[in-house]
Amino acid sequence: MASSPEDPVLERYFKGHKAAITSVDFSPNGKQLATGSWDTFLMLWSLRPQARAFRYVGHKDVITSVQFSPLGNLLASASRDRTIRLWIPDKRGKSSEFKAHTAPVRSVDFSADGQFLASASEDKSIKVWNMYRQRFLYSLYRHTHWVRCANQRWRSSIQSAKTRLGADCGSDHELLTDKFRLKLKKAGKTTRPFRFSPDGRLIVSCSEDKTIKIWDTTNKQCVNNFSDFVGFANFVAFNPNGTCIASAGSDHTVKIWDIRVNKLLQHYQVHSGGVNCVSFHPSGNYLITASSDGTLKILDLLEGRLIYTLQGHTGPVFTVSFSKGGELFTSGGADAQVLLWRTNFDELNYKDVSKRNLKRLHFDSPPHLLDIYPRTPHPHEGRIDTVEINPKLDVTDLQTSTPPVVDILSFDSTTKIQEIIKSLWSEL
């Protein structure tokens, strides 16, 4: 299909990791990109052409999650070595190490004010840390298996890409899948990724116990529970206003839940492999998904439709994230490449995109996520009209790809990081 001005475009790709990409995150100012990998390295990329990239050496096992602090002055990473590291993202590579989990750590998430950091682990717990004192505060226990993700709802939208490693890779990638399934089986079962909510009260988490739990950070109690008896969620995220959550399912589904009335809003079956990660556009109108079927999908949440299928990766895609302004998004997967895409469709009026790409089949008002009560769940099965974009077919002149890489060996600098945090808070 011929491309249109509103279609997303692959702008650039980065090569530097030696193994699969597990996590990506944009800096708040949109000028840098952090990535974590099975190769145990954290890399920091500049979006300026041919600028140096930094490769931080410190973790002893797979990095499962990376995230910038809200001001961009710190960078957190989680690893299968059971530690969390807090880095100063510059050429010195100073970091401090947090230890409290008794099993691999699967994800990290900052609160919107930067005061707290939450982590989820295969020890079935979520732990919350005080950044000012760099101390462990408390644990949340209710999951009966691994916690794969936890997401906080603070005062602003916090989104990051977390993944379930090696999920449902398909016949072409059996060796890759089996290798990491073996690792997971050896470790036991986990709490999957999680997030804070934008208003500062809630954390959402998902686990291999096939539940999604909502936690109140004030009384430290589980206040809600969503069960999925078909498969488990690999990843969960709050929408920007904190009223809904999206889950990425091992059963190939994407689900949108309204946490105000505890009902399923939308149910998408658009992938042929497990869904590993989702990211909301800052407007809340679009959701992008990454799957082991090797594709990215862009969902129009107002229309309740799939509008784009993006190809470009070879093998499973494990992580995806919009930039803080939504003008860019990035993806990473088993091919060890980081792809940088320009969104484009968010620059046009929403109705213009809808008219050009989606032939309305009915005249009812679209199912809007801001409705007080949710609409009937949409199965989204059967024939799907979508714009397919394969940059390998029509993009020949990309900004490449392999900038100079500087290896930086981490050394502990807890005091320096504490000074940075205290100085920032004194200015607030």
Side-chain angles (χ1 to χ4, degrees), residues 258-314:
D258 189 320
I259 65 173
R260 298 166 296 181
V261 290
N262 304 328
K263 289 187 178 180
L264 181 66
L265 278 179
Q266 298 178 353
H267 175 195
Y268 298 89
Q269 184 99 36
V270 295
H271 283 289
S272 60
V275 186
N276 298 315
C277 188
V278 297
S279 180
F280 278 98
H281 186 272
S283 68
N285 295 339
Y286 305 99
L287 184 77
I288 189 166
T289 65
S291 170
S292 291
D293 65 14
T295 68
L296 302 167
K297 306 273 187 180
I298 298 175
L299 305 174
D300 181 335
L301 300 180
L302 299 184
E303 288 285 338
R305 295 178 184 275
L306 169 67
I307 55 174
Y308 290 108
T309 296
L310 308 181
Q311 301 176 19
H313 285 284
T314 302

Side-chain angles (χ1 to χ4, degrees), residues 27-276:
S27 63
N29 63 14
K31 296 180 179 180
Q32 292 178 304
L33 181 65
T35 58
S37 170
W38 290 352
D39 62 13
T40 76
F41 300 133
L42 168 68
M43 293 196 68
L44 186 63
W45 311 85
S46 172
L47 300 191
R48 291 183 292 111
Q50 294 303 312
R52 290 185 302 172
F54 297 115
R55 181 163 48 209
Y56 296 103
V57 183
H59 283 293
K60 299 177 177 63
D61 206 337
V62 173
I63 292 179
T64 55
S65 176
V66 297
Q67 191 180 63
F68 279 97
S69 64
L71 295 178
N73 58 308
L74 296 172
L75 184 58
S77 60
S79 172
R80 292 190 60 83
D81 64 11
R82 305 185 181 186
T83 70
I84 300 159
R85 280 187 177 268
L86 201 60
W87 308 78
I88 300 174
D90 61 18
K91 62 183 179 182
R92 297 179 182 86
K94 295 179 180 179
S95 71
S96 58
E97 187 177 62
F98 295 177
K99 293 182 179 180
H101 286 290
T102 59
V105 187
R106 298 303 295 266
S107 66
V108 287
D109 190 46
F110 279 101
S111 62
D113 57 9
Q115 294 187 40
F116 302 99
L117 181 75
S119 57
S121 170
E122 292 179 10
D123 62 13
K124 306 175 189 177
S125 76
I126 300 162
K127 297 189 185 297
V128 177
W129 310 76
N130 182 297
M131 290 289 94
Y132 184 78
R133 298 182 180 276
Q134 293 198 42
R135 291 180 180 177
F136 166 69
L137 289 179
Y138 60 88
S139 294
L140 301 174
Y141 290 103
R142 282 291 294 276
H143 283 294
T144 58
H145 293 315
W146 299 348
V147 185
R148 298 191 66 89
C149 176
N151 189 327
Q152 309 175 62
R153 192 180 77 181
W154 293 90
R155 290 182 178 83
S156 65
S157 173
I158 296 291
Q159 296 148 355
S160 63
K162 315 291 187 277
T163 65
R164 173 182 176 239
L165 302 181
D168 216 352
C169 294
S171 58
D172 292 338
H173 307 281
E174 290 177 358
L175 183 62
L176 184 66
T177 305
D178 291 343
K179 174 182 176 182
F180 282 88
R181 279 180 178 164
L182 180 61
K183 278 192 175 184
L184 295 178
K185 287 179 180 178
K186 286 180 178 178
K189 296 191 175 181
T190 66
T191 300
R192 293 174 178 268
F194 63 101
R195 293 289 183 277
F196 280 116
S197 62
D199 65 2
R201 291 192 308 110
L202 304 176
I203 291 176
V204 62
S205 62
C206 59
S207 168
E208 287 197 6
D209 61 12
K210 297 185 180 181
T211 67
I212 297 172
K213 296 185 184 297
I214 307 291
W215 308 82
D216 189 319
T217 59
T218 303
N219 60 26
K220 305 174 182 59
Q221 297 294 316
C222 178
V223 294
N224 213 335
N225 186 80
F226 299 94
S227 296
D228 189 336
F229 299 102
V230 178
F232 52 80
N234 289 316
F235 183 87
V236 284
F238 278 101
N239 71 335
N241 68 10
T243 60
C244 300
I245 57 173
S247 64
S250 63
D251 59 354
H252 311 178
T253 65
V254 176
K255 297 179 180 179
I256 310 292
W257 308 80
D258 189 320
I259 65 173
R260 298 166 296 181
V261 290
N262 304 328
K263 289 187 178 180
L264 181 66
L265 278 179
Q266 298 178 353
H267 175 195
Y268 298 89
Q269 184 99 36
V270 295
H271 283 289
S272 60
V275 186
N276 298 315

